[in-house]
Amino acid sequence: MITDVVIAGGGPNGLMLACELSLAGVRPVVLERLVEPSEEPKANGLLGQVVKVLDHRGLHERLSGSPHPPRPNSGYFMFGAMGLDLSLLRDSPVYALPVPQRRIVQVLQERAVELGVEIRRGHEVVGLSQDDDAVTIDVTGPGEAYRLRTRYLVGADGAHSTTRKLSGIAFPGVTYDRMTVRSAHTRVPAEWVDPATGALNVPGHGAVLPFLPHRTEHGGFSYAPLPGHPPLISTTEWDAPATDAPMSLEELRESVRRVLGVDVPLDPPDGAGPHVLRRLTGGNTRIAERFTDGRVFLIGDAAHVYAATGGGPGLNLGLQDAVNLGWKLAAVIRGSAPPGLLDSYETERRSAAERMVLNAQAQSALIAPGSDVTGLREVFTELLSDRSTVQRLADLLAGADVRYDTGEHEAHPLTGRFAPDMDLDTPAGPVRLAELTRNARPLLLDLTEEASLAETPALRHDQVDIVTARSRIPAPTALLLRPDGYVAWASASPRPDPKEIETLGAAMRRWFGVSGPAHTRGRERPLT
């Protein structure tokens, strides 16, 4: 059996990659070990840049249930369980999409099936080898074992990735064993909930704002009244005695008493569930030694894991890995990729992963117990009154500070960054920029006077869509967008001069290959 791409893992990251490849004309095969999607409660939502990425694919409306585009959080947020006043910012980068992971999987699976993706549940990769042309995979399935030969294999199979292990890729990092996190869906006294703020007013302690971590000298506490679910109560403690006993609601009550210093009535949740009742001890922060090995690639938790609280950094980062890799891998398979395009996957996404490590480690340090940490937090709190500090931390939380190297020495400030959404007037009518990217193709947005770029023959490119428009607000006069939404080139000139047009042509060649009739490279040769 021969195919272009096999994706090991049918979770959010693997399904997102399958959708991206299909949009680019490549039909992958997804192998998922589980016969049915997991009902285990995991991530409770998405935070930051990834929300805008999903909007670019038309998935935000499906996940949010609302026809409205994403709106940033411009109020109160947290960094290291300290208040982050986003109202100080002109444009907040912090977007939130509260939706459980199982719903994310459901929506992505539905979209993948719509796009013609083959998903094989109950099938698991158990062996692999590769040569110059392909990867040969040994697979176990329901009642049978078989072999697949594929041009590329992508491991989206989690932190314990079989793909990574079979490829001999090391997973260096740090294991933490001091921290114990207890979580459960519960019922709390209705009269304790402030109807105006949603805060949980705990007698003898004070108000705890919803969804935001709360630190005391003895640990951490959070209250998350997720829509459609019982409230999720969580505690974090350090150096707790080890136990083999099953997690219980009484254990959580005792932990809350130690952390807050008061009793909080926690009753069993209403409804059939599934409900959270778990204890997690320790954690890992690790980044794979390499994200690629010949024709094998890693995305998501297979490439990086983080011992962090809040924000779902692994899922947010993994979905963006998928979007970054998808168009590049498809271009290579189609034969339209310029040299070195696939190499940029590891360069770009490793940098983003390392940035997330900084985020996770900084927040972990700030929520640790001890009077010395309390002193650090007091100093840090003073810094949080400064707008520039809030901006830097908000960008770090959201992943909005990621800027890819585009190779331009005098680049526009937007170059290398994720494109801002814009309200546009086009010949076909009003549209948002995000709505022009649903097909996952490169896009040249021409806002210049008299559509000067669209009328330039040298810029006609068989891999790039050109859209002329007028922006309703002050904006760049032209943007070249990669399929993942990042800006490859930008201009502020009403009519770009020949030098700018030359750099635009160079950006097209760098990211999308040779244009028009000069494009002579074909697909990879057929596998035999």
Side-chain angles (χ1 to χ4, degrees):
M1 304 178 71
I2 297 173
T3 188
D4 283 328
V5 181
V6 169
I7 302 170
N13 301 323
L15 291 170
M16 189 73 194
L17 176 61
C19 292
E20 292 294 296
L21 289 168
S22 295
L23 286 169
V26 174
R27 294 292 180 266
V29 173
V30 177
L31 304 178
E32 168 53 48
R33 177 179 58 84
L34 298 178
V35 176
E36 296 292 339
S38 173
E39 288 293 317
E40 179 185 355
K42 295 182 180 177
N44 294 312
L46 301 167
L47 178 73
Q49 200 78 4
V50 71
V51 178
K52 298 169 68 176
V53 171
L54 293 173
D55 184 38
H56 273 235
R57 293 298 182 262
L59 294 168
H60 178 267
E61 182 172 339
R62 295 192 186 200
L63 288 166
S64 67
S66 168
H68 302 295
R71 296 293 182 220
N73 183 332
S74 57
Y76 190 74
F77 208 72
M78 284 278 186
F79 183 86
M82 289 182 291
L84 200 63
D85 186 0
L86 300 177
S87 68
L88 294 174
L89 308 181
R90 187 181 66 178
D91 296 305
S92 169
V94 179
Y95 291 76
L97 182 58
V99 56
Q101 183 165 325
R102 61 181 180 275
R103 175 58 180 163
I104 296 171
V105 171
Q106 180 185 11
V107 167
L108 290 175
Q109 180 169 293
E110 290 171 354
R111 180 57 174 153
V113 171
E114 290 172 6
L115 293 170
V117 174
E118 181 183 357
I119 302 173
R120 301 181 186 177
R121 288 199 164 273
H123 294 244
E124 182 178 8
V125 174
V126 295
L128 69 85
S129 62
Q130 61 175 309
D131 52 40
D132 291 341
D133 296 324
V135 184
T136 301
I137 307 167
D138 293 316
V139 183
T140 58
E144 64 175 350
Y146 60 95
R147 179 163 288 177
L148 272 173
R149 189 163 165 81
T150 179
R151 288 182 173 88
Y152 295 95
L153 169 66
V154 180
D157 43 355
H160 301 287
S161 170
T162 298
T163 305
R164 186 187 65 239
K165 294 173 183 177
L166 291 173
S167 299
I169 299 175
F171 205 31
V174 178
T175 297
Y176 304 93
D177 57 6
R178 292 187 60 198
M179 186 184 300
T180 300
V181 178
R182 298 175 176 88
S183 304
H185 282 126
T186 72
R187 284 185 293 123
V188 297
E191 63 273 16
W192 287 19
V193 179
D194 187 328
T197 65
L200 184 68
N201 291 313
V202 180
H205 180 80
V208 177
L209 291 172
F211 303 108
L212 302 175
H214 178 72
R215 177 198 179 263
T216 74
E217 284 284 350
H218 307 287
F221 176 87
S222 67
Y223 163 68
L226 296 162
H229 298 274
L232 183 70
I233 298 291
S234 297
T235 63
T236 304
E237 293 185 87
W238 282 259
D239 302 322
T243 178
D244 295 327
M247 175 62 183
S248 67
L249 205 53
E250 179 57 31
E251 181 179 331
L252 180 60
R253 293 188 193 101
E254 293 173 356
S255 179
V256 171
R257 186 183 306 117
R258 290 191 294 269
V259 170
L260 297 184
V262 296
D263 288 316
V264 176
L266 301 177
D267 294 323
D270 296 322
H275 294 136
V276 170
L277 182 62
R278 65 178 173 229
R279 177 199 313 116
L280 300 175
T281 301
N284 291 278
T285 294
R286 299 180 179 276
I287 299 180
E289 183 180 54
R290 55 189 185 279
F291 291 5
T292 66
D293 181 66
R295 291 176 174 267
V296 176
F297 293 81
L298 303 176
I299 65 172
D301 286 356
H304 39 68
V305 293
Y306 305 91
T309 58
L315 185 54
N316 286 284
L317 200 64
L319 289 171
Q320 292 181 82
D321 289 347
V323 176
N324 186 287
L325 178 61
W327 69 275
K328 297 173 181 178
L329 195 54
V332 170
I333 291 170
R334 291 195 312 264
S336 61
L341 182 65
L342 265 185
D343 294 337
S344 70
Y345 166 68
E346 169 144 8
T347 301
E348 293 179 346
R349 298 312 297 163
R350 176 172 290 278
S351 175
E354 290 171 347
R355 191 68 178 164
M356 190 63 73
V357 167
L358 179 65
N359 176 8
Q361 291 178 331
Q363 293 205 63
S364 294
L366 287 167
I367 65 172
S371 59
D372 52 346
V373 175
T374 301
L376 174 63
R377 290 171 62 85
E378 290 178 2
V379 172
F380 213 92
T381 299
E382 296 177 9
L383 297 175
L384 292 180
S385 63
D386 180 74
R387 178 183 299 175
S388 63
T389 301
V390 173
Q391 184 72 66
R392 290 178 70 90
L393 293 177
D395 288 342
L396 178 63
L397 276 170
D401 57 353
V402 170
R403 186 176 190 182
Y404 296 146
D405 180 10
T406 63
E408 291 191 56
H409 298 295
E410 298 179 3
H412 187 280
L414 283 177
T415 306
R417 300 191 182 277
F418 195 84
D421 200 13
M422 292 185 263
D423 290 317
L424 305 169
D425 291 312
T426 73
V431 68
R432 291 190 301 120
L433 175 58
E435 296 173 321
L436 297 175
T437 63
R438 302 287 160 83
N439 60 5
R441 281 178 55 84
L443 172 68
L444 176 58
L445 180 64
D446 186 355
L447 306 174
T448 62
E449 294 178 357
E450 300 177 357
S452 60
L453 294 177
E455 298 301 320
T456 303
L459 298 178
R460 304 286 171 79
H461 194 297
D462 59 357
Q463 302 296 324
V464 180
D465 294 336
I466 301 178
V467 173
T468 60
R470 290 286 179 267
S471 175
R472 299 179 188 177
I473 60 173
T477 57
L479 292 173
L480 177 65
L481 267 61
R482 307 187 328 182
D484 57 5
Y486 281 80
V487 178
W489 176 90
S491 174
S493 303
R495 294 184 66 91
D497 59 30
K499 182 178 179 181
E500 281 190 288
I501 292 175
E502 182 180 345
T503 61
L504 171 56
M508 286 183 168
R509 290 189 295 274
R510 173 178 179 174
W511 295 109
F512 314 126
V514 182
S515 63
H519 176 66
T520 57
R521 285 184 293 174
R523 288 173 56 94
E524 288 194 348
R525 64 180 181 274
L527 298 177
T528 57

Coordinates of all heavy atoms in Angstrom, one line a residue, residues 332 336-344 509-514 521:
V332 N 6.3 20.3 -1.4 CA 7.4 19.4 -1.8 C 6.8 18.2 -2.6 O 7.3 17.8 -3.6 CB 8.2 18.9 -0.6 CG1 9.1 17.7 -0.9 CG2 9.0 20.0 0.1
S336 N 6.5 21.9 -6.2 CA 6.5 23.4 -6.4 C 7.4 24.0 -5.3 O 7.5 25.2 -5.3 CB 5.1 23.9 -6.3 OG 4.5 23.7 -5.1
A337 N 8.0 23.3 -4.4 CA 8.7 23.8 -3.3 C 10.1 24.3 -3.7 O 10.8 23.6 -4.4 CB 8.8 22.8 -2.1
P338 N 10.5 25.5 -3.2 CA 11.8 26.0 -3.4 C 12.8 25.2 -2.5 O 12.4 24.6 -1.6 CB 11.8 27.4 -3.1 CG 10.7 27.5 -2.1 CD 9.7 26.5 -2.5
P339 N 14.1 25.2 -2.9 CA 15.0 24.5 -2.0 C 15.0 25.0 -0.6 O 14.9 26.2 -0.3 CB 16.4 24.8 -2.7 CG 16.0 25.1 -4.1 CD 14.7 25.8 -4.0
G340 N 15.1 24.0 0.4 CA 15.2 24.4 1.8 C 13.9 24.7 2.5 O 13.9 25.0 3.7
L341 N 12.8 24.6 1.7 CA 11.5 25.0 2.4 C 11.2 24.1 3.6 O 10.8 24.6 4.6 CB 10.4 24.9 1.3 CG 9.0 25.3 1.9 CD1 9.0 26.8 2.3 CD2 7.9 25.0 0.9
L342 N 11.4 22.8 3.4 CA 11.1 21.9 4.5 C 12.0 22.1 5.7 O 11.6 21.9 6.9 CB 11.1 20.4 4.1 CG 9.8 19.8 3.6 CD1 10.1 18.3 3.3 CD2 8.8 19.9 4.7
D343 N 13.2 22.5 5.4 CA 14.2 22.8 6.5 C 13.6 23.9 7.5 O 13.9 23.9 8.7 CB 15.5 23.2 6.0 CG 16.2 22.0 5.3 OD1 15.8 20.9 5.5 OD2 17.1 22.3 4.4
S344 N 12.9 24.8 6.9 CA 12.4 26.0 7.7 C 11.3 25.5 8.7 O 11.1 26.3 9.7 CB 11.7 27.0 6.8 OG 10.5 26.6 6.2
R509 N 9.7 33.8 -4.8 CA 10.5 32.7 -5.2 C 11.0 31.9 -4.0 O 11.1 30.7 -4.0 CB 11.7 33.2 -6.0 CG 11.3 33.7 -7.4 CD 12.5 34.0 -8.3 NE 13.3 35.1 -7.7 CZ 13.1 36.4 -8.0 NH1 12.1 36.7 -8.8 NH2 13.9 37.3 -7.5
R510 N 11.4 32.6 -2.9 CA 11.9 32.0 -1.7 C 10.9 31.0 -1.1 O 11.2 29.9 -0.7 CB 12.3 33.0 -0.7 CG 12.7 32.4 0.6 CD 13.2 33.4 1.7 NE 13.6 32.7 2.9 CZ 14.1 33.2 4.0 NH1 14.4 34.5 3.9 NH2 14.4 32.5 5.0
W511 N 9.6 31.5 -1.0 CA 8.7 30.7 -0.3 C 7.8 29.8 -1.2 O 7.3 28.7 -0.7 CB 7.7 31.6 0.5 CG 8.5 32.3 1.6 CD1 8.8 33.6 1.7 CD2 9.1 31.7 2.8 NE1 9.5 33.9 2.8 CE2 9.7 32.8 3.5 CE3 9.1 30.4 3.3 CZ2 10.4 32.5 4.7 CZ3 9.7 30.2 4.5 CH2 10.4 31.3 5.2
F512 N 7.6 30.2 -2.4 CA 6.6 29.5 -3.3 C 7.2 28.9 -4.6 O 6.5 28.4 -5.4 CB 5.4 30.4 -3.6 CG 4.9 31.1 -2.3 CD1 4.8 32.5 -2.3 CD2 4.6 30.4 -1.2 CE1 4.3 33.1 -1.2 CE2 4.2 31.0 0.0 CZ 4.0 32.4 0.0
G513 N 8.5 29.1 -4.8 CA 9.1 28.5 -5.9 C 9.1 29.3 -7.2 O 8.8 30.5 -7.1
V514 N 9.3 28.7 -8.3 CA 9.4 29.4 -9.6 C 8.0 29.6 -10.1 O 7.1 28.8 -9.9 CB 10.2 28.5 -10.6 CG1 10.3 29.3 -11.9 CG2 11.6 28.3 -10.1
R521 N 9.5 21.9 -12.5 CA 9.7 20.7 -11.6 C 8.4 20.0 -11.4 O 7.3 20.6 -11.2 CB 10.3 21.1 -10.3 CG 11.7 21.4 -10.3 CD 12.3 21.7 -8.9 NE 11.7 23.0 -8.4 CZ 11.9 23.4 -7.2 NH1 12.6 22.7 -6.4 NH2 11.3 24.5 -6.8

